[in-house]
């Protein structure tokens, strides 16, 4: 294993200390274990809070989106492991300004169980919460089982849109409804070329053949839908885009945002080669792209590969997507 | 070779097409070969132009910094190869608004030769240019030969500061002097864990042992100053920081900006583990960090590793560093 780390057991604590050292003017932690990250300033009075949670190893997801215009807090787990219900509960208590808190997170067993426990406890104390689960990964389950799909990079669009809605001082129900409406129009699929290494394991816990491509692999190495020989970029882009548009048809004349997300080890150049093809194919179909996002948004440490997300827009979603945001890992200064 | 590409010979053209498809509202190319990238809008009348050039395979360097507050243009070469003098010349003719153009680029043989040819031709036509070479890589030559050092990630700070100075409508001499002053206070050193693959070669053209770390390796795989066994992150950070501060002493009470730059395949988590240590060590020395930059700024495709840059600041440099900028790969919306 060649990783730029110290003791594997200190991996999460140490990168959190690095993030706090770099961005301590904008974010802070609430606990000595540094597992609850919130904005330095409390949310505006009356604003609905928005929080998320999840395992580590996916930067900028999840905690990188805590900041102005997006999230109010994130509970941070160990690598690929959910944070505890207690951390979620403490975070929500802190974030709540009396108008309730939206829990917006990926559909993973541990996170769901812990958020449910946390919200139940909060309910006793009269703190209102709503839970909206991100299930954008079309490769994780067939369409008939869409409700059991995992959440991947599409969650970044959901954070953005919900954050903008909350900043307009909408109610908890309205913010939750906005997030649900966004997610109904977001689909993602990824593919991996190499595995990643969990620091405590010290070696890859799954493998991908030397010349293979795993279509649909999850961000923790969950098996995909097909292992095949490595293909040219355009072919990969076509397979993924067809799958997304088959699951969520987009008509000629409509607008989408597209996210080409690197999983960690893939050069930026290659992400733009993918984007080129996706853009071209959409253009042929009469679909235009608004505010493309190309870069690393939700990674799996040193996994090589990428995911493609399509977000079908309407005027409301465009407005929320465009609105200014400023977090340590996401900046948008549109007027 | 597993790269997300189509034909290797189309690598540069295709990622350029992707960049133009994504950011066509902000940048454009001047030539059918798409090797001259400029801002969509001409520089303001009277503003000194700032251009750079270099081989491909280092995104966001070099072209990613063309945009408001930074560069006016970039001539783009094939992977690890200088663009032609003709492209540089055409770019400078376009960018010049009558007050001259600063050529600000890394100290590599081909780039130097071609910029010199271009500037000589322009001189015949009365177009004024100044050349400032970036030589921030302390590992590439000992201090006595500092003038022969290569330019690496520190150039991004130079682009930022020179761009801000040009926006204040300073003269060509003043903008060039500002860039030189910045560069006198910028030092970088990198280290690599794995090699990278030039698409046309199809395999790594140099190797790094399974358990080895190459201290000081260049962004094209130029040999470093030492090959050693892989070390803990803190030890690596200490070695690099000591080397930087030995070359350019910084006194207690001074302020620096620090860039932790991932070379391509290194997870963000690991960059923050490095930042943590650098921040801590500087703090012990009474040196504070202003506007840290942690992420990918100058890469070598899928090379794993990182570089650390220290930029010693004064009030003028802080002002220019802070000033707003908006390019496809660098956004800063400070007031």
């Amino acid at each position: 294993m060649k990783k730029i780390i110290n003791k594997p057991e200190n991996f999460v604590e140490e990168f959190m200390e690095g993030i706090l050292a770099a961005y301590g003017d904008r974010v802070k932690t609430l606990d000595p274990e540094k597992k609850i990250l919130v904005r330095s300033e409390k949310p505006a009075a009356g604003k609905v809070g928005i929080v998320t949670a999840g395992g580590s190893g996916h930067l900028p997801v999840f905690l990188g989106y805590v900041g102005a215009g997006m999230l109010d807090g994130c509970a941070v787990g160990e690598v690929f492991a959910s944070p505890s219900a207690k951390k979620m509960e403490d975070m929500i208590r802190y974030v709540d300004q009396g108008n309730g808190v939206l829990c917006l997170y990926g559909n993973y067993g541990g996170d769901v169980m812990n958020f449910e426990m946390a919200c139940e406890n909060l309910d006793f104390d009269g703190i209102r919460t709503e839970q909206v689960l991100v299930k954008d990964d079309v490769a994780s389950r067939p369409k008939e089982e869409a409700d059991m799909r995992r959440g991947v990079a599409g969650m970044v669009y959901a954070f953005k849109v919900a954050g903008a809605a909350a900043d307009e001082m909408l109610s908890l129900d309205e913010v939750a409804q906005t997030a649900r409406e966004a997610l109904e129009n977001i689909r993602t699929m990824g593919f991996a070329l190499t595995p990643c290494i969990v620091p405590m394991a010290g070696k890859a816990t799954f493998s991908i053949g030397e010349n293979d491509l795993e279509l649909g692999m999850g961000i923790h190495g969950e098996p995909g839908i097909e292992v095949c020989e490595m293909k040219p970029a355009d072919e990969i882009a076509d397979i993924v885009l067809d799958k997304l548009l088959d699951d969520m048809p987009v008509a000629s004349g409509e607008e989408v945002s597209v996210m080409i997300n690197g999983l960690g080890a893939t050069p930026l150049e290659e992400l733009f080669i993918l984007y080129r093809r996706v853009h071209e194919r959409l253009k042929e179909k009469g679909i235009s792209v608004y505010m493309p996002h190309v870069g690393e948004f939700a990674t799996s440490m040193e996994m090589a590969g990428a995911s493609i997300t399509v977000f079908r827009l309407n005027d409301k979603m465009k407005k929320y997507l465009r609105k200014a945001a400023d977090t340590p890992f996401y900046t948008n200064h549109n007027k």
Side-chain angles (χ1 to χ4, degrees), chain A:
Chain A
M1 171 182 57
K2 277 206 289 194
K3 285 176 102 78
I4 307 170
I5 61 175
N6 295 300
K7 288 191 185 151
E9 59 269 34
N10 297 338
F11 179 75
V12 176
E13 185 174 354
E14 291 187 350
F15 82 67
M16 286 298 291
E17 286 173 359
I19 286 173
L20 292 165
Y23 304 120
D25 53 334
R26 291 191 269 174
V27 290
K28 64 179 180 183
T29 45
L30 294 181
D31 56 333
E33 300 82 22
K34 306 181 195 75
K35 292 291 173 62
I36 307 175
L37 192 86
V38 297
R39 300 193 206 178
S40 298
E41 316 240 310
K42 275 234 175 191
K47 187 183 95 69
V48 165
I50 306 179
V51 298
T52 195
S56 290
H58 306 296
L59 280 181
V61 153
F62 303 85
L63 64 92
Y65 303 104
V66 172
M70 295 182 83
L71 304 172
D72 295 295
C74 177
V76 178
E78 287 298 324
V79 175
F80 296 180
S82 177
S84 71
K86 182 68 171 61
K87 295 292 180 196
M88 295 173 180
E89 189 183 328
D90 290 348
M91 164 175 69
I92 294 169
R93 277 184 205 282
Y94 174 86
V95 161
D96 180 51
Q97 298 295 301
N99 285 18
V101 175
L102 171 65
C103 306
L104 179 57
Y105 60 98
N107 184 28
Y108 294 95
D111 297 318
V112 176
M113 194 180 71
N114 290 336
F115 259 123
E116 277 176 1
M117 278 175 56
C119 292
E120 206 169 302
N121 283 347
L122 293 159
D123 192 43
F124 283 125
D125 295 330
I127 295 175
R128 258 200 82 199
T129 57
E130 276 284 332
Q131 296 189 50
V132 173
L133 275 66
V134 181
K135 302 171 179 178
D136 58 322
D137 185 354
V138 301
S140 57
R141 292 278 182 161
K143 199 166 180 169
E144 312 77 65
E145 299 172 13
D147 204 44
M148 295 165 76
R149 285 175 174 166
R150 298 184 294 257
V152 285
M155 73 175 65
V156 178
Y157 280 133
F159 295 159
K160 177 68 191 72
V161 161
D167 277 347
E168 295 206 336
M169 304 307 261
L170 300 187
S171 69
L172 178 57
D173 287 342
E174 290 166 328
V175 174
Q177 184 47 36
T178 304
R180 282 189 196 99
E181 191 186 327
L183 289 165
E184 277 163 20
N185 292 288
I186 292 171
R187 297 291 187 284
T188 301
M189 180 171 148
F191 58 93
L193 276 60
T194 69
C196 61
I197 299 169
V198 173
M200 288 292 278
K203 57 185 173 47
T205 47
F206 56 98
S207 66
I208 299 175
E210 190 71 24
N211 298 305
D212 289 349
L213 165 70
E214 181 137 0
L215 289 165
M217 175 166 266
I219 56 172
H220 309 97
E222 296 94 336
I225 47 179
E226 194 195 340
V227 179
C228 56
E229 247 187 88
M230 187 61 197
K231 296 176 191 301
D234 286 0
E235 250 180 72
I236 301 173
D238 288 354
I239 291 169
V240 174
L241 186 64
D242 288 349
K243 184 97 186 157
L244 298 177
L245 296 181
D246 182 56
D247 204 271
M248 177 184 72
V250 180
S252 175
E254 286 196 280
E255 270 183 292
V256 298
S257 187
V258 169
M259 179 180 287
I260 309 288
N261 169 54
L263 294 180
T266 291
L268 272 169
E269 286 83 359
E270 299 180 17
L271 301 182
F272 281 96
I273 289 176
L274 286 170
Y275 181 71
R276 167 187 168 277
R277 179 64 171 190
V278 171
H279 183 100
E280 189 177 275
R281 287 280 320 282
L282 290 171
K283 199 174 166 188
E284 281 166 19
K285 291 173 190 289
I287 300 163
S288 55
V289 182
Y290 183 78
M291 281 184 67
H293 286 56
V294 184
E296 292 186 348
F297 298 91
T299 64
S300 298
M301 296 180 289
E302 63 277 270
M303 189 184 277
S307 67
I308 302 177
T309 301
V310 171
F311 179 13
R312 190 169 52 180
L313 300 169
N314 59 22
D315 287 345
K316 183 167 82 176
M317 291 299 151
K318 279 174 70 174
K319 181 183 77 171
Y320 289 146
L321 185 57
R322 189 170 56 234
K323 220 174 166 207
D326 187 15
T327 84
F329 295 83
Y330 189 102
T331 306
N332 165 353
H333 59 165
N334 293 324
K335 296 296 179 292

